[in-house]
């Protein structure tokens, strides 16, 4: 099945945005709220064991994959749409001395390049919201898990339609325009063949991340000359305005972050 060109644009835009110097300066290599602490929590809830084969869909620069391999001793395969992120993930695993427990490849979450039932657990952090075809992505997660396998996501949520001003925030990070309510993610995964769903609010992690980014943006405004090469064309005052807007939307309960888990049913 071929992508619609608008879907392809969203994936390329998302990949490009998250491999940019701007993101690296403001987020570092861990590209999701809650950092590796939340990744640890997800690994604990999924009860990862050394014999598990884990797939990290949209693994970004590989920080979580390396961390899970190091912490739980499991084998982690990371997949990302961006070839630059895949290369960074391989390099990161080498510096963490977990290359023997990890492997990374370029690919699309909606068309996973793996056989049916290849994995014991699938994770995806701060990425499901960006997939244009969530039904397809959910079915692919179910397909590559064996029966009884576990899925664990953490992701951005919305509580309903956002105020019109928020559209500029979504346009800026175009790939989060596909955010759903936590309940919509849950029911989507149920339709894909998951059951025994578990949902946990993690909005505080998002709020903390936005606070850190806002602090860094204020520092960057002071050090604009020094950071110019890393920031490229980024309009700092617009970035500050949007980060403030993000904090307001979180405070108002319009935007949040959630952890969602499920088990792949026998019949899927
Ligand atoms: C917010 S980052 C999260 C990265 C990583 N999970 C983390 O938490 O550090 C989103 C990632 O999704 C990747 N991505 C977006 N659409 C994708 C797709 N259709 N298939 C695979 N990766 C995708 C991007 O390249 C980017 O690395």
């Amino acid at each position: 099945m071929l992508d619609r060109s608008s879907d392809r644009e969203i994936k390329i835009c998302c990949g490009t945005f998250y491999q940019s110097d701007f993101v690296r300066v403001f987020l570092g290599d861990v590209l999701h709220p809650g950092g590796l602490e939340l990744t640890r929590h997800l690994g604990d809830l999924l009860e990862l064991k050394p014999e598990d084969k884990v797939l990290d869909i949209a693994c970004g620069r590989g920080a979580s994959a390396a961390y899970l391999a190091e912490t739980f001793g499991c084998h982690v395969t990371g997949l990302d749409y961006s070839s630059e992120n895949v290369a960074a993930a391989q390099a990161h695993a080498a510096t963490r001395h977990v290359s023997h427990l990890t492997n990374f490849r370029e690919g699309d979450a909606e068309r996973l390049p793996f056989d049916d039932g290849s994995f014991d657990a699938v994770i995806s952090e701060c990425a499901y919201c960006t997939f244009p075809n969530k039904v397809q992505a959910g079915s692919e997660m179910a397909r590559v898990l064996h029966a009884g396998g576990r899925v664990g996501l953490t992701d951005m949520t919305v509580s309903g339609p956002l105020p019109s001003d928020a559209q500029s925030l979504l346009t800026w990070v175009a790939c989060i325009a596909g955010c759903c309510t936590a309940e919509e993610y849950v029911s989507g995964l149920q339709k894909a063949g998951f059951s025994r769903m578990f949902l946990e609010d993690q909005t505080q992690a998002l709020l903390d991340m936005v606070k850190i980014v806002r602090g860094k943006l204020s520092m960057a405004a002071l050090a604009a000359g020094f950071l110019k090469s890393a920031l490229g064309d980024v309009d700092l005052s617009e970035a500050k305005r949007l980060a403030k807007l993000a904090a307001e939307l979180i405070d108002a309960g319009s935007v949040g972050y959630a952890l969602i888990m499920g088990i792949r049913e026998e019949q899927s």
Side-chain angles (χ1 to χ4, degrees), residues 215-237:
K216 286 187 181 176
L217 282 168
S218 297
M219 297 277 290
L222 292 174
F226 171 69
L227 284 169
K228 203 162 180 36
S229 58
L231 296 178
D233 295 335
V234 170
D235 175 349
L236 268 185
S237 51

Side-chain angles (χ1 to χ4, degrees), residues 155-264:
D155 224 318
M156 302 269 301
T157 59
V158 288
S159 61
L162 293 177
S164 58
D165 193 27
Q167 289 311 318
S168 57
L169 181 64
L170 298 184
T171 309
W172 191 58
V173 189
C175 54
I176 63 166
C179 260
C180 297
T181 65
E183 293 69 26
E184 283 166 339
Y185 291 136
V186 168
S187 75
L189 290 172
Q190 283 172 322
K191 283 189 195 124
F194 291 99
S195 62
R196 289 156 61 190
M197 305 306 294
F198 172 81
L199 175 62
E200 189 175 82
D201 182 61
Q202 287 289 345
T203 301
Q204 188 57 47
L206 180 62
L207 198 52
D208 292 345
M209 187 170 99
V210 170
K211 270 189 197 144
I212 290 169
V213 171
R214 287 185 73 189
K216 286 187 181 176
L217 282 168
S218 297
M219 297 277 290
L222 292 174
F226 171 69
L227 284 169
K228 203 162 180 36
S229 58
L231 296 178
D233 295 335
V234 170
D235 175 349
L236 268 185
S237 51
E238 179 63 356
K240 282 174 74 177
R241 190 186 76 78
L242 293 173
K244 181 168 176 277
L245 176 62
E248 286 164 3
L249 289 170
I250 300 167
D251 279 338
S254 306
V255 174
Y257 203 72
L259 180 153
I260 299 162
M261 265 181 31
I263 308 284
R264 186 198 180 281

Side-chain angles (χ1 to χ4, degrees), residues 11 14-15 18 29-32 58-60 79-82 85 107-109 125-127 130-131:
K11 290 170 193 173
C14 186
Y18 284 107
D29 280 339
V30 184
L31 304 176
H32 62 267
C59 63
L79 173 122
D80 201 274
Y81 204 72
S82 148
N85 280 349
D108 186 350
E125 296 169 301
C126 202
T130 72
F131 304 151

Side-chain angles (χ1 to χ4, degrees), residues 29-75:
D29 280 339
V30 184
L31 304 176
H32 62 267
L36 294 177
E37 209 180 303
L38 186 55
T39 303
R40 167 77 198 230
H41 180 54
L42 187 63
D44 283 338
L45 289 172
L46 290 169
E47 298 180 359
L48 295 183
K49 297 178 284 305
E51 58 271 28
D52 280 337
K53 289 197 186 77
V54 180
L55 173 63
D56 181 1
I57 299 176
C59 63
R61 301 175 68 79
S64 295
Y67 177 78
L68 291 175
E70 243 177 320
T71 308
F72 295 95
C74 50
H75 187 281

Side-chain angles (χ1 to χ4, degrees), residues 100-150:
H100 60 298
L101 285 176
T102 55
N103 66 290
F104 297 93
R105 61 187 288 181
E106 204 179 324
D108 186 350
E110 296 173 9
R111 224 173 279 120
L112 295 175
F114 306 109
D115 291 338
D116 296 2
S118 313
F119 295 96
D120 303 291
V122 165
I123 69 155
S124 193
E125 296 169 301
C126 202
Y128 189 65
C129 69
T130 72
F131 304 151
N133 189 339
K134 293 182 180 49
V135 174
Q136 177 68 16
S139 317
E140 282 291 88
M141 288 177 183
R143 181 183 67 74
V144 300
L145 279 170
H146 61 66
R150 297 93 77 199

